[in-house]
Each structure stands twice: as C-alpha cells, then as structure tokens.
PDB file of all heavy atoms in Angstrom:
ATOM      1  N   GLY A  73       8.111 -17.591  12.502  1.00 95.00           N
ATOM      2  CA  GLY A  73       7.185 -18.657  12.327  1.00 95.00           C
ATOM      3  C   GLY A  73       7.607 -19.753  11.269  1.00 95.00           C
ATOM      4  O   GLY A  73       6.849 -20.663  10.943  1.00 95.00           O
ATOM      5  N   ALA A  74       8.841 -19.643  10.811  1.00 94.00           N
ATOM      6  CA  ALA A  74       9.336 -20.665   9.871  1.00 94.00           C
ATOM      7  C   ALA A  74       9.568 -22.003  10.582  1.00 94.00           C
ATOM      8  O   ALA A  74       9.289 -23.080  10.002  1.00 94.00           O
ATOM      9  CB  ALA A  74      10.645 -20.190   9.144  1.00 94.00           C
ATOM     10  N   PHE A  75      10.035 -21.947  11.805  1.00 93.00           N
ATOM     11  CA  PHE A  75      10.173 -23.150  12.662  1.00 93.00           C
ATOM     12  C   PHE A  75       9.342 -22.915  13.962  1.00 93.00           C
ATOM     13  O   PHE A  75       9.454 -21.875  14.567  1.00 93.00           O
ATOM     14  CB  PHE A  75      11.673 -23.333  13.093  1.00 93.00           C
ATOM     15  CG  PHE A  75      12.630 -23.536  11.953  1.00 93.00           C
ATOM     16  CD1 PHE A  75      13.934 -23.201  12.147  1.00 93.00           C
ATOM     17  CD2 PHE A  75      12.273 -24.069  10.737  1.00 93.00           C
ATOM     18  CE1 PHE A  75      14.876 -23.354  11.133  1.00 93.00           C
ATOM     19  CE2 PHE A  75      13.126 -24.257   9.719  1.00 93.00           C
ATOM     20  CZ  PHE A  75      14.513 -23.891   9.904  1.00 93.00           C
ATOM     21  N   PRO A  76       8.647 -23.884  14.410  1.00 94.00           N
ATOM     22  CA  PRO A  76       7.966 -23.788  15.730  1.00 94.00           C
ATOM     23  C   PRO A  76       9.060 -23.980  16.788  1.00 94.00           C
ATOM     24  O   PRO A  76       9.926 -24.805  16.672  1.00 94.00           O
ATOM     25  CB  PRO A  76       6.989 -24.978  15.719  1.00 94.00           C
ATOM     26  CG  PRO A  76       7.567 -25.962  14.769  1.00 94.00           C
ATOM     27  CD  PRO A  76       8.324 -25.194  13.704  1.00 94.00           C
ATOM     28  N   PRO A  77       9.018 -23.158  17.825  1.00 96.00           N
ATOM     29  CA  PRO A  77      10.033 -23.389  18.904  1.00 96.00           C
ATOM     30  C   PRO A  77       9.735 -24.660  19.627  1.00 96.00           C
ATOM     31  O   PRO A  77       8.633 -25.157  19.736  1.00 96.00           O
ATOM     32  CB  PRO A  77       9.774 -22.157  19.771  1.00 96.00           C
ATOM     33  CG  PRO A  77       8.372 -21.795  19.543  1.00 96.00           C
ATOM     34  CD  PRO A  77       8.092 -22.060  18.103  1.00 96.00           C
ATOM     35  N   SER A  78      10.814 -25.251  20.167  1.00 96.00           N
ATOM     36  CA  SER A  78      10.703 -26.422  21.015  1.00 96.00           C
ATOM     37  C   SER A  78      10.231 -26.094  22.421  1.00 96.00           C
ATOM     38  O   SER A  78       9.730 -26.924  23.154  1.00 96.00           O
ATOM     39  CB  SER A  78      12.011 -27.211  21.065  1.00 96.00           C
ATOM     40  OG  SER A  78      12.416 -27.599  19.762  1.00 96.00           O
ATOM     41  N   GLY A  79      10.450 -24.816  22.804  1.00 96.00           N
ATOM     42  CA  GLY A  79      10.034 -24.331  24.071  1.00 96.00           C
ATOM     43  C   GLY A  79      10.144 -22.838  24.160  1.00 96.00           C
ATOM     44  O   GLY A  79      10.761 -22.221  23.290  1.00 96.00           O
ATOM     45  N   GLY A  80       9.531 -22.208  25.109  1.00 97.00           N
ATOM     46  CA  GLY A  80       9.576 -20.777  25.298  1.00 97.00           C
ATOM     47  C   GLY A  80       8.366 -20.059  24.725  1.00 97.00           C
ATOM     48  O   GLY A  80       7.427 -20.671  24.161  1.00 97.00           O
ATOM     49  N   GLU A  81       8.392 -18.764  24.751  1.00 97.00           N
ATOM     50  CA  GLU A  81       7.306 -17.893  24.395  1.00 97.00           C
ATOM     51  C   GLU A  81       7.828 -16.673  23.597  1.00 97.00           C
ATOM     52  O   GLU A  81       8.800 -16.078  23.984  1.00 97.00           O
ATOM     53  CB  GLU A  81       6.470 -17.474  25.558  1.00 97.00           C
ATOM     54  CG  GLU A  81       5.200 -16.677  25.221  1.00 97.00           C
ATOM     55  CD  GLU A  81       4.434 -16.368  26.482  1.00 97.00           C
ATOM     56  OE1 GLU A  81       3.594 -17.230  26.861  1.00 97.00           O
ATOM     57  OE2 GLU A  81       4.686 -15.280  27.073  1.00 97.00           O
ATOM     58  N   ILE A  82       7.121 -16.326  22.511  1.00 97.00           N
ATOM     59  CA  ILE A  82       7.408 -15.122  21.698  1.00 97.00           C
ATOM     60  C   ILE A  82       6.226 -14.261  21.669  1.00 97.00           C
ATOM     61  O   ILE A  82       5.058 -14.730  21.442  1.00 97.00           O
ATOM     62  CB  ILE A  82       7.814 -15.508  20.304  1.00 97.00           C
ATOM     63  CG1 ILE A  82       8.990 -16.474  20.341  1.00 97.00           C
ATOM     64  CG2 ILE A  82       8.209 -14.315  19.460  1.00 97.00           C
ATOM     65  CD1 ILE A  82       9.262 -17.228  19.064  1.00 97.00           C
ATOM     66  N   SER A  83       6.422 -12.995  21.886  1.00 97.00           N
ATOM     67  CA  SER A  83       5.291 -11.983  21.862  1.00 97.00           C
ATOM     68  C   SER A  83       5.692 -10.794  21.055  1.00 97.00           C
ATOM     69  O   SER A  83       6.840 -10.368  21.001  1.00 97.00           O
ATOM     70  CB  SER A  83       4.871 -11.550  23.224  1.00 97.00           C
ATOM     71  OG  SER A  83       5.840 -10.852  23.872  1.00 97.00           O
ATOM     72  N   PHE A  84       4.665 -10.275  20.315  1.00 97.00           N
ATOM     73  CA  PHE A  84       4.883  -9.062  19.464  1.00 97.00           C
ATOM     74  C   PHE A  84       3.787  -8.084  19.824  1.00 97.00           C
ATOM     75  O   PHE A  84       2.580  -8.363  19.762  1.00 97.00           O
ATOM     76  CB  PHE A  84       4.803  -9.437  17.991  1.00 97.00           C
ATOM     77  CG  PHE A  84       4.867  -8.317  17.061  1.00 97.00           C
ATOM     78  CD1 PHE A  84       6.052  -7.572  16.965  1.00 97.00           C
ATOM     79  CD2 PHE A  84       3.817  -7.930  16.195  1.00 97.00           C
ATOM     80  CE1 PHE A  84       6.185  -6.474  16.105  1.00 97.00           C
ATOM     81  CE2 PHE A  84       3.906  -6.861  15.329  1.00 97.00           C
ATOM     82  CZ  PHE A  84       5.137  -6.152  15.270  1.00 97.00           C
ATOM     83  N   GLN A  85       4.209  -6.929  20.374  1.00 95.00           N
ATOM     84  CA  GLN A  85       3.269  -5.861  20.822  1.00 95.00           C
ATOM     85  C   GLN A  85       2.240  -6.434  21.817  1.00 95.00           C
ATOM     86  O   GLN A  85       1.097  -6.130  21.751  1.00 95.00           O
ATOM     87  CB  GLN A  85       2.613  -5.164  19.606  1.00 95.00           C
ATOM     88  CG  GLN A  85       3.621  -4.450  18.709  1.00 95.00           C
ATOM     89  CD  GLN A  85       2.872  -3.679  17.690  1.00 95.00           C
ATOM     90  OE1 GLN A  85       2.004  -4.151  17.026  1.00 95.00           O
ATOM     91  NE2 GLN A  85       3.417  -2.555  17.382  1.00 95.00           N
ATOM     92  N   GLY A  86       2.735  -7.260  22.699  1.00 92.00           N
ATOM     93  CA  GLY A  86       1.851  -7.778  23.757  1.00 92.00           C
ATOM     94  C   GLY A  86       1.027  -9.003  23.320  1.00 92.00           C
ATOM     95  O   GLY A  86       0.323  -9.558  24.212  1.00 92.00           O
ATOM     96  N   GLN A  87       1.129  -9.391  22.122  1.00 95.00           N
ATOM     97  CA  GLN A  87       0.316 -10.588  21.608  1.00 95.00           C
ATOM     98  C   GLN A  87       1.275 -11.749  21.488  1.00 95.00           C
ATOM     99  O   GLN A  87       2.317 -11.722  20.858  1.00 95.00           O
ATOM    100  CB  GLN A  87      -0.288 -10.229  20.247  1.00 95.00           C
ATOM    101  CG  GLN A  87      -1.049 -11.475  19.646  1.00 95.00           C
ATOM    102  CD  GLN A  87      -1.651 -11.107  18.284  1.00 95.00           C
ATOM    103  OE1 GLN A  87      -1.728  -9.966  17.921  1.00 95.00           O
ATOM    104  NE2 GLN A  87      -2.020 -12.126  17.553  1.00 95.00           N
ATOM    105  N   ILE A  88       0.783 -12.904  22.057  1.00 97.00           N
ATOM    106  CA  ILE A  88       1.583 -14.101  21.926  1.00 97.00           C
ATOM    107  C   ILE A  88       1.496 -14.649  20.466  1.00 97.00           C
ATOM    108  O   ILE A  88       0.426 -14.827  19.920  1.00 97.00           O
ATOM    109  CB  ILE A  88       1.081 -15.190  22.880  1.00 97.00           C
ATOM    110  CG1 ILE A  88       1.085 -14.727  24.315  1.00 97.00           C
ATOM    111  CG2 ILE A  88       1.909 -16.508  22.734  1.00 97.00           C
ATOM    112  CD1 ILE A  88       2.422 -14.260  24.826  1.00 97.00           C
ATOM    113  N   ILE A  89       2.682 -14.808  19.854  1.00 97.00           N
ATOM    114  CA  ILE A  89       2.681 -15.258  18.467  1.00 97.00           C
ATOM    115  C   ILE A  89       3.445 -16.540  18.295  1.00 97.00           C
ATOM    116  O   ILE A  89       3.734 -17.018  17.186  1.00 97.00           O
ATOM    117  CB  ILE A  89       3.380 -14.176  17.566  1.00 97.00           C
ATOM    118  CG1 ILE A  89       4.853 -13.929  17.951  1.00 97.00           C
ATOM    119  CG2 ILE A  89       2.564 -12.883  17.606  1.00 97.00           C
ATOM    120  CD1 ILE A  89       5.616 -13.126  16.943  1.00 97.00           C
ATOM    121  N   THR A  90       3.722 -17.206  19.377  1.00 95.00           N
ATOM    122  CA  THR A  90       4.571 -18.443  19.417  1.00 95.00           C
ATOM    123  C   THR A  90       4.080 -19.469  18.435  1.00 95.00           C
ATOM    124  O   THR A  90       4.837 -20.160  17.699  1.00 95.00           O
ATOM    125  CB  THR A  90       4.623 -19.092  20.830  1.00 95.00           C
ATOM    126  OG1 THR A  90       4.881 -18.016  21.768  1.00 95.00           O
ATOM    127  CG2 THR A  90       5.643 -20.134  20.890  1.00 95.00           C
ATOM    128  N   ALA A  91       2.737 -19.689  18.291  1.00 88.00           N
ATOM    129  CA  ALA A  91       2.225 -20.765  17.482  1.00 88.00           C
ATOM    130  C   ALA A  91       1.638 -20.286  16.082  1.00 88.00           C
ATOM    131  O   ALA A  91       1.067 -21.079  15.413  1.00 88.00           O
ATOM    132  CB  ALA A  91       1.116 -21.549  18.247  1.00 88.00           C
ATOM    133  N   LEU A  92       1.844 -19.040  15.800  1.00 94.00           N
ATOM    134  CA  LEU A  92       1.277 -18.478  14.589  1.00 94.00           C
ATOM    135  C   LEU A  92       2.057 -18.901  13.380  1.00 94.00           C
ATOM    136  O   LEU A  92       3.286 -18.970  13.468  1.00 94.00           O
ATOM    137  CB  LEU A  92       1.148 -16.915  14.639  1.00 94.00           C
ATOM    138  CG  LEU A  92       0.167 -16.358  15.640  1.00 94.00           C
ATOM    139  CD1 LEU A  92       0.129 -14.842  15.540  1.00 94.00           C
ATOM    140  CD2 LEU A  92      -1.208 -16.957  15.478  1.00 94.00           C
ATOM    141  N   PRO A  93       1.426 -19.124  12.200  1.00 94.00           N
ATOM    142  CA  PRO A  93       2.170 -19.394  10.959  1.00 94.00           C
ATOM    143  C   PRO A  93       2.808 -18.152  10.399  1.00 94.00           C
ATOM    144  O   PRO A  93       2.504 -16.991  10.749  1.00 94.00           O
ATOM    145  CB  PRO A  93       1.063 -19.884  10.021  1.00 94.00           C
ATOM    146  CG  PRO A  93      -0.154 -19.305  10.499  1.00 94.00           C
ATOM    147  CD  PRO A  93      -0.049 -19.149  12.009  1.00 94.00           C
ATOM    148  N   CYS A  94       3.725 -18.335   9.460  1.00 92.00           N
ATOM    149  CA  CYS A  94       4.495 -17.269   8.859  1.00 92.00           C
ATOM    150  C   CYS A  94       3.653 -16.120   8.341  1.00 92.00           C
ATOM    151  O   CYS A  94       3.942 -14.981   8.584  1.00 92.00           O
ATOM    152  CB  CYS A  94       5.351 -17.776   7.691  1.00 92.00           C
ATOM    153  SG  CYS A  94       6.800 -18.773   8.208  1.00 92.00           S
ATOM    154  N   HIS A  95       2.570 -16.475   7.582  1.00 90.00           N
ATOM    155  CA  HIS A  95       1.839 -15.391   6.889  1.00 90.00           C
ATOM    156  C   HIS A  95       1.097 -14.531   7.938  1.00 90.00           C
ATOM    157  O   HIS A  95       0.907 -13.309   7.745  1.00 90.00           O
ATOM    158  CB  HIS A  95       0.840 -15.980   5.883  1.00 90.00           C
ATOM    159  CG  HIS A  95      -0.275 -16.816   6.518  1.00 90.00           C
ATOM    160  ND1 HIS A  95      -0.126 -18.117   6.853  1.00 90.00           N
ATOM    161  CD2 HIS A  95      -1.543 -16.414   6.781  1.00 90.00           C
ATOM    162  CE1 HIS A  95      -1.258 -18.533   7.325  1.00 90.00           C
ATOM    163  NE2 HIS A  95      -2.145 -17.543   7.332  1.00 90.00           N
ATOM    164  N   ARG A  96       0.656 -15.132   9.051  1.00 93.00           N
ATOM    165  CA  ARG A  96       0.030 -14.362  10.135  1.00 93.00           C
ATOM    166  C   ARG A  96       0.965 -13.438  10.772  1.00 93.00           C
ATOM    167  O   ARG A  96       0.679 -12.223  11.078  1.00 93.00           O
ATOM    168  CB  ARG A  96      -0.636 -15.290  11.132  1.00 93.00           C
ATOM    169  CG  ARG A  96      -1.855 -16.091  10.641  1.00 93.00           C
ATOM    170  CD  ARG A  96      -3.137 -15.267  10.689  1.00 93.00           C
ATOM    171  NE  ARG A  96      -3.336 -14.676  12.002  1.00 93.00           N
ATOM    172  CZ  ARG A  96      -3.856 -15.373  13.043  1.00 93.00           C
ATOM    173  NH1 ARG A  96      -4.219 -16.679  12.859  1.00 93.00           N
ATOM    174  NH2 ARG A  96      -4.062 -14.778  14.153  1.00 93.00           N
ATOM    175  N   ILE A  97       2.131 -13.893  11.015  1.00 95.00           N
ATOM    176  CA  ILE A  97       3.196 -13.061  11.666  1.00 95.00           C
ATOM    177  C   ILE A  97       3.572 -11.951  10.775  1.00 95.00           C
ATOM    178  O   ILE A  97       3.750 -10.768  11.262  1.00 95.00           O
ATOM    179  CB  ILE A  97       4.383 -13.931  12.049  1.00 95.00           C
ATOM    180  CG1 ILE A  97       3.994 -14.903  13.192  1.00 95.00           C
ATOM    181  CG2 ILE A  97       5.543 -13.095  12.514  1.00 95.00           C
ATOM    182  CD1 ILE A  97       5.012 -15.877  13.586  1.00 95.00           C
ATOM    183  N   ALA A  98       3.747 -12.226   9.484  1.00 92.00           N
ATOM    184  CA  ALA A  98       4.060 -11.148   8.513  1.00 92.00           C
ATOM    185  C   ALA A  98       2.960 -10.121   8.482  1.00 92.00           C
ATOM    186  O   ALA A  98       3.216  -8.889   8.430  1.00 92.00           O
ATOM    187  CB  ALA A  98       4.299 -11.702   7.100  1.00 92.00           C
ATOM    188  N   HIS A  99       1.683 -10.543   8.493  1.00 91.00           N
ATOM    189  CA  HIS A  99       0.587  -9.632   8.467  1.00 91.00           C
ATOM    190  C   HIS A  99       0.571  -8.680   9.672  1.00 91.00           C
ATOM    191  O   HIS A  99       0.096  -7.534   9.585  1.00 91.00           O
ATOM    192  CB  HIS A  99      -0.727 -10.375   8.324  1.00 91.00           C
ATOM    193  CG  HIS A  99      -1.908  -9.538   8.100  1.00 91.00           C
ATOM    194  ND1 HIS A  99      -2.194  -8.917   6.916  1.00 91.00           N
ATOM    195  CD2 HIS A  99      -2.928  -9.150   8.931  1.00 91.00           C
ATOM    196  CE1 HIS A  99      -3.294  -8.187   6.989  1.00 91.00           C
ATOM    197  NE2 HIS A  99      -3.764  -8.296   8.210  1.00 91.00           N
ATOM    198  N   LEU A 100       1.057  -9.180  10.802  1.00 94.00           N
ATOM    199  CA  LEU A 100       1.106  -8.345  11.986  1.00 94.00           C
ATOM    200  C   LEU A 100       2.107  -7.219  11.950  1.00 94.00           C
ATOM    201  O   LEU A 100       1.925  -6.240  12.621  1.00 94.00           O
ATOM    202  CB  LEU A 100       1.404  -9.199  13.220  1.00 94.00           C
ATOM    203  CG  LEU A 100       0.328 -10.187  13.711  1.00 94.00           C
ATOM    204  CD1 LEU A 100       0.840 -11.103  14.827  1.00 94.00           C
ATOM    205  CD2 LEU A 100      -0.912  -9.460  14.178  1.00 94.00           C
ATOM    206  N   GLY A 101       3.014  -7.371  11.052  1.00 94.00           N
ATOM    207  CA  GLY A 101       4.005  -6.292  10.870  1.00 94.00           C
ATOM    208  C   GLY A 101       5.488  -6.644  11.027  1.00 94.00           C
ATOM    209  O   GLY A 101       6.344  -5.798  11.355  1.00 94.00           O
ATOM    210  N   ILE A 102       5.816  -7.974  10.897  1.00 96.00           N
ATOM    211  CA  ILE A 102       7.171  -8.395  10.985  1.00 96.00           C
ATOM    212  C   ILE A 102       7.665  -8.829   9.597  1.00 96.00           C
ATOM    213  O   ILE A 102       7.112  -9.699   9.019  1.00 96.00           O
ATOM    214  CB  ILE A 102       7.375  -9.607  11.994  1.00 96.00           C
ATOM    215  CG1 ILE A 102       6.889  -9.175  13.380  1.00 96.00           C
ATOM    216  CG2 ILE A 102       8.795 -10.061  12.019  1.00 96.00           C
ATOM    217  CD1 ILE A 102       6.935 -10.324  14.403  1.00 96.00           C
ATOM    218  N   ALA A 103       8.748  -8.188   9.165  1.00 94.00           N
ATOM    219  CA  ALA A 103       9.352  -8.515   7.827  1.00 94.00           C
ATOM    220  C   ALA A 103      10.771  -8.926   8.048  1.00 94.00           C
ATOM    221  O   ALA A 103      11.452  -8.529   9.030  1.00 94.00           O
ATOM    222  CB  ALA A 103       9.238  -7.345   6.869  1.00 94.00           C
ATOM    223  N   ARG A 104      11.309  -9.662   7.083  1.00 94.00           N
ATOM    224  CA  ARG A 104      12.675 -10.086   7.213  1.00 94.00           C
ATOM    225  C   ARG A 104      13.366 -10.225   5.794  1.00 94.00           C
ATOM    226  O   ARG A 104      12.718 -10.322   4.816  1.00 94.00           O
ATOM    227  CB  ARG A 104      12.736 -11.478   7.931  1.00 94.00           C
ATOM    228  CG  ARG A 104      12.221 -12.621   7.035  1.00 94.00           C
ATOM    229  CD  ARG A 104      12.465 -13.960   7.665  1.00 94.00           C
ATOM    230  NE  ARG A 104      13.960 -14.244   7.745  1.00 94.00           N
ATOM    231  CZ  ARG A 104      14.401 -15.422   8.133  1.00 94.00           C
ATOM    232  NH1 ARG A 104      13.544 -16.369   8.524  1.00 94.00           N
ATOM    233  NH2 ARG A 104      15.693 -15.593   8.134  1.00 94.00           N
ATOM    234  N   THR A 105      14.692 -10.286   5.904  1.00 92.00           N
ATOM    235  CA  THR A 105      15.509 -10.649   4.723  1.00 92.00           C
ATOM    236  C   THR A 105      16.165 -11.986   5.108  1.00 92.00           C
ATOM    237  O   THR A 105      16.129 -12.419   6.277  1.00 92.00           O
ATOM    238  CB  THR A 105      16.492  -9.619   4.312  1.00 92.00           C
ATOM    239  OG1 THR A 105      17.492  -9.449   5.368  1.00 92.00           O
ATOM    240  CG2 THR A 105      15.862  -8.287   4.056  1.00 92.00           C
TER     241      THR A 105
END
C-alpha cells in the first residue's frame, strides 16, 4: 500500500486490498522489512 498500482488487482486471503492504505494492510497481517 505504499504505492497505488496503476493497474491490476491484489488480494489477501480472498479480500481485495488494492486500494487500501498501508496501515489497513498491516493490520490485516502483512509485515515487511
């Protein structure tokens, strides 16, 4: 969620997360370094 995609679709555990902000995506259970 740091950059919005210019096209395409991203899903996490069946939920579309393409337009979600970083903090919402992190809360769903995605972490990164």
Side-chain angles (χ1 to χ4, degrees):
F75 299 153
S78 303
E81 184 176 273
I82 303 164
S83 64
F84 178 64
Q85 294 185 321
Q87 176 182 346
I88 304 300
I89 63 170
T90 311
L92 293 183
C94 288
H95 68 278
R96 290 278 307 278
I97 291 174
H99 187 75
L100 289 174
I102 300 177
R104 69 169 297 184
T105 64

